[in-house]
């Protein structure tokens, strides 16, 4: 896996997931770029916002036709045919994404992407709308944020061919007819490109790989495996109604993976990462003793004595079988805090002590 920064482009980070072939494309006005894409939030679960594969057809943009998300031309121009790459883009490049996505979704639904839209610039239309009609896009519109784009470049053609044009949307987006779709390049399938069945099958494999890496004390690599498994499950959960049977079954698989991830982060000294994810887990499952235990250890590590004691005592209340472990941790916490207080007193005395005369 190769990682690099695109030259002369502020706020963009590129990671190559699968190398392409041939030379970099020489784009000119009228060139048509065919590609699949997936848009994700830059969060722990890498929440999927859009996925062209779900529509079953790739996307096209035409160079020089003022596509509203200008950074995409830059990203695609850095790719070779058959390449799969992941791009992290800062907020300076993603502010228009909600409007672009709104149009693409309407096209995929067979609706007019210009429905109710005035012929004004993109920013003007953004202020016209109280809502895009999609809750997740409304959130992006209210609070622009960095996004991750995973792209697979199929081909670049010098001239515009026959396709189902929707250029009237003012977005220069075209959807290829099914007979024109080229087969994706052969590469190791990442979870972003997996079907529901493949994701479900991948979870126990990733879980097992993570456990194996923990036994070898390769905690960073193990954490990455657990995180990838969580991403698979969260993507599937997004298609279920919260707290109904399907969602709950997936949540029961997510919880131990998040706890394993947090244990790895404890070993790596990433205590605030542990605090964040255990707190999020406990907001949904406030009776999970293991989550309280890991959070307590993280609090103790960053000298949050009161919070650590509260969490440790909560563990003993929820799971009496962990009482001995809690007693040991509380004893260690007390010893560490006493030692810290002694060191602090010595330090402060040294700061305020008058220098001795000759």
């Amino acid at each position: 896996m190769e990682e690099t920064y695109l030259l002369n482009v502020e706020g963009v980070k590129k990671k190559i997931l699968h190398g392409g072939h041939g030379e970099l494309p020489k784009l000119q006005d009228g060139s048509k770029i065919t590609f699949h894409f997936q848009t994700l939030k830059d969060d722990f679960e890498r929440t999927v916002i859009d996925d062209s594969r779900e529509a079953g057809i790739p996307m096209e943009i035409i160079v020089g036709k003022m596509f509203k998300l200008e950074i995409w031309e830059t990203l695609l121009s850095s790719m070779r045919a058959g390449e799969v790459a992941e791009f992290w883009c800062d907020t300076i490049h993603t502010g228009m994404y909600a409007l672009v996505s709104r149009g693409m979704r309407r096209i995929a639904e067979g609706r007019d992407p210009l429905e109710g839209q005035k012929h004004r610039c993109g920013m003007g239309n953004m202020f016209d709308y109280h809502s895009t009609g999609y809750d997740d896009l409304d959130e992006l519109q209210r609070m622009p944020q960095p996004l991750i784009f995973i792209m697979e470049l199929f081909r670049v053609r010098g001239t515009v061919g026959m396709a189902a044009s929707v250029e009237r949307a003012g977005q220069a987006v075209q959807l290829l007819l099914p007979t024109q779709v080229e087969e994706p390049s052969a590469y190791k399938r990442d979870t972003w490109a997996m079907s529901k069945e493949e994701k479900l099958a991948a979870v126990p494999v990733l879980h097992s790989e993570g456990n194996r890496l923990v036994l070898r004390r390769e905690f960073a690599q193990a954490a990455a495996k657990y995180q990838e498994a969580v991403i698979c499950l969260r993507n599937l959960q997004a298609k279920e109604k919260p707290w109904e049977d399907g969602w709950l079954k997936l949540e029961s698989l997510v919880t131990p993976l998040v706890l394993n991830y947090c244990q790895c982060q404890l070993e790596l000294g990433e205590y605030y990462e542990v605090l964040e994810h255990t707190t999020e887990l406990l907001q949904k499952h406030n009776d999970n003793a293991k989550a309280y235990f890991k959070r307590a250890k993280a609090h103790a590590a960053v000298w949050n004595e009161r919070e650590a004691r509260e969490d440790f005592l909560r563990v003993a209340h929820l799971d009496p079988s962990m009482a001995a472990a809690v007693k040991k941790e509380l004893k260690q916490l007390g010893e560490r805090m006493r030692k810290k207080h002694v060191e602090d007193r010595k330090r402060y005395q040294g700061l305020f002590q008058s220098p001795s005369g000759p």
Side-chain angles (χ1 to χ4, degrees):
M1 184 176 290
E2 178 185 349
E3 189 168 306
T4 185
Y5 284 87
L6 292 179
L7 296 178
N8 303 319
V9 182
E10 180 185 358
V12 175
K13 183 178 179 181
K14 177 182 179 182
K15 182 186 295 181
I16 297 176
L17 304 180
H18 175 75
H21 51 82
E23 301 294 326
L24 288 173
K26 293 181 173 59
L27 301 180
Q28 56 187 356
D29 286 359
S31 295
K32 185 167 66 174
I33 311 172
T34 308
F35 61 101
H36 264 309
F37 76 94
Q38 189 178 55
T39 305
L40 311 110
K41 289 185 178 180
D42 184 21
D43 57 10
F44 174 72
E45 289 89 4
R46 288 163 62 95
T47 305
V48 177
I49 300 172
D50 290 308
D51 188 345
S52 65
R53 291 179 180 276
E54 290 197 353
I57 51 178
M59 182 177 174
E60 290 190 347
I61 62 173
I62 302 169
V63 176
K65 294 293 185 180
M66 298 183 68
F67 183 61
K68 289 183 180 178
L69 205 63
E70 294 181 9
I71 192 63
W72 274 17
E73 286 189 13
T74 304
L75 305 183
L76 291 162
S77 69
S78 77
M79 298 176 67
R80 292 173 169 82
E83 181 178 318
V84 182
E86 175 179 310
F87 299 91
W88 177 90
C89 293
D90 205 352
T91 310
I92 58 173
H93 301 298
T94 62
M96 295 297 296
Y97 186 78
L99 286 181
V100 172
S101 177
R102 174 183 182 273
M104 291 188 296
R105 290 185 187 186
R106 289 195 167 201
I107 291 165
E109 294 166 1
R111 300 166 60 192
D112 183 355
L114 282 175
E115 181 182 327
Q117 181 172 315
K118 297 178 182 179
H119 292 281
R120 297 170 58 189
C121 69
M123 290 306 296
N125 279 317
M126 181 179 287
F127 289 115
D128 273 342
Y129 286 109
H130 295 292
S131 172
T132 62
Y134 304 93
D135 291 342
D136 58 339
L137 299 184
D138 287 344
E139 178 190 352
L140 286 181
Q141 195 165 266
R142 286 192 302 271
M143 296 180 293
Q145 58 192 266
L147 295 174
I148 296 168
F149 302 111
I150 300 178
M151 294 177 164
E152 179 180 7
L153 180 63
F154 291 168
R155 62 184 178 183
V156 177
R157 292 194 296 187
T159 57
V160 179
M162 294 297 294
S165 177
V166 292
E167 196 170 352
R168 62 191 177 84
Q171 293 172 292
V173 178
Q174 291 194 330
L175 302 180
L176 283 174
L177 298 175
T179 55
Q180 295 173 290
V181 176
E182 297 176 355
E183 289 298 316
S185 57
Y187 66 97
K188 181 181 178 295
R189 291 176 68 81
D190 256 308
T191 52
W192 72 273
M194 290 180 178
S195 66
K196 175 181 178 180
E197 291 73 21
E198 288 171 329
K199 286 175 182 175
L200 283 172
V203 168
V205 175
L206 291 166
H207 198 159
S208 178
E209 289 177 355
N211 292 347
R212 178 176 56 82
L213 289 164
V214 166
L215 291 174
R216 290 163 52 180
R217 302 192 64 78
E218 296 178 16
F219 297 113
Q221 296 88 332
K225 294 295 182 182
Y226 295 136
Q227 183 181 25
E228 190 174 358
V230 170
I231 289 167
C232 285
L233 293 169
R234 291 298 192 205
N235 288 347
L236 295 172
Q237 256 190 330
K239 298 176 174 61
E240 302 285 344
K241 290 185 178 181
W243 303 105
E244 293 195 356
D245 287 346
W247 188 94
L248 288 170
K249 287 178 181 177
L250 293 168
E251 184 69 14
S252 69
L253 299 176
V254 168
T255 300
L257 288 164
V258 173
L259 290 172
N260 287 359
Y261 174 85
C262 288
Q263 183 60 42
C264 290
Q265 297 305 320
L266 280 174
E267 297 287 351
L268 294 167
E270 299 290 346
Y271 304 119
Y272 290 101
E273 181 89 354
V274 177
L275 292 175
E276 177 185 349
H277 295 300
T278 50
T279 298
E280 183 179 345
L281 187 63
L282 288 166
Q283 287 172 351
K284 297 178 183 176
H285 312 287
N286 63 4
D287 59 348
N288 192 302
K290 291 182 179 179
Y292 279 111
F293 190 78
K294 295 184 193 305
R295 191 172 73 171
K297 287 177 71 69
H299 275 309
V302 296
W303 308 105
N304 296 337
E305 182 180 12
R306 179 180 60 80
E307 292 86 347
R309 289 187 180 280
E310 287 177 356
D311 278 353
F312 278 133
L313 293 173
R314 181 72 171 164
V315 171
H317 174 73
L318 289 170
D319 188 352
S321 69
M322 297 181 70
V326 167
K327 184 178 180 180
K328 179 181 176 181
E329 292 289 343
L330 287 172
K331 181 180 178 181
Q332 290 177 352
L333 176 62
E335 292 171 352
R336 288 181 70 241
M337 295 307 301
R338 281 192 292 274
K339 184 178 179 181
K340 182 176 185 294
H341 293 326
V342 170
E343 292 174 350
D344 287 346
R345 279 198 300 272
K346 289 180 179 178
R347 188 179 302 113
Y348 294 141
Q349 286 172 358
L351 286 173
F352 295 105
Q353 189 174 28
S354 300
S356 57

